[in-house]
Amino acid sequence: PEVMLVRAVRAVIPGGTRFALRTLVYNPKYSGPPDFWTLESFRNSNLTQRNMLDRVAVLGYRVLPVLDIFQVVNAVDVVFGTAAVERVEVLLDFSTVVRAGDQIELVAPLDFQLGTAMQSTCPGFTFIVEEGEDPPLGGEAPQCS
């Protein structure tokens, strides 16, 4: 499927200027190997070959099936508006093997602290594995920021 993002920008970005383009996309409803995204920019809103400024193909990422379990639990049952919750449990159960190099990104509300600026590991993190199984990725703890 083709996705078109048309954004009129009145400011001119001089050649050689480094900038970031961020988009929010939803994963497709199927899983599969990485595919390529094609990014194109145009001189104006007339999207023709003649008006094309540049075109680049970027490798995407492998899409995994939906999680079997995604649970966020207030483990100490604190339910007061702005009260600090000392223990939140997040349980993820993947229907496929998580491999080295896979990235799993959880975005918490803005004022929720998963870690601190001085600490990159996730406080209190543990792998939950079945008896006799090895923890995924050799038991290497994830990073929180």
Side-chain angles (χ1 to χ4, degrees):
E2 184 175 306
V3 177
M4 184 180 296
L5 171 67
V6 177
R7 170 83 201 250
V9 179
R10 295 194 183 271
V12 174
I13 301 172
T17 302
R18 194 172 180 170
F19 65 95
L21 172 66
R22 293 184 179 204
T23 61
L24 174 64
V25 296
Y26 292 95
N27 282 341
K29 295 181 180 187
Y30 60 89
S31 60
D35 204 351
F36 283 91
W37 290 73
T38 301
L39 304 175
E40 301 170 334
S41 65
F42 296 85
R43 188 176 324 279
N44 55 42
S45 62
N46 186 7
L47 307 180
T48 63
Q49 187 76 24
R50 184 175 182 169
N51 283 326
M52 185 182 293
L53 295 172
D54 57 27
R55 177 186 180 125
V56 65
V58 179
L59 183 62
Y61 51 88
R62 181 170 61 108
V63 176
L64 299 174
V66 176
L67 294 172
D68 289 337
I69 297 173
F70 176 70
Q71 230 174 6
V72 179
V73 178
N74 173 346
V76 289
D77 201 30
V78 174
V79 294
F80 305 108
T82 58
V85 178
E86 297 299 323
R87 191 166 143 219
V88 174
E89 296 176 356
V90 179
L91 178 62
L92 307 173
D93 185 8
F94 296 89
S95 58
T96 60
V97 175
V98 177
R99 299 183 185 131
D102 286 348
Q103 292 183 356
I104 300 159
E105 182 176 340
L106 300 177
V107 180
L110 288 177
D111 51 355
F112 186 86
Q113 298 293 321
L114 290 173
T116 66
M118 304 302 289
Q119 169 182 354
S120 63
T121 58
C122 305
F125 176 85
T126 57
F127 285 109
I128 301 172
V129 296
E130 298 292 324
E131 188 174 325
E133 286 185 359
D134 291 327
L137 307 179
E140 184 179 328
Q143 295 184 350
C144 289
S145 60

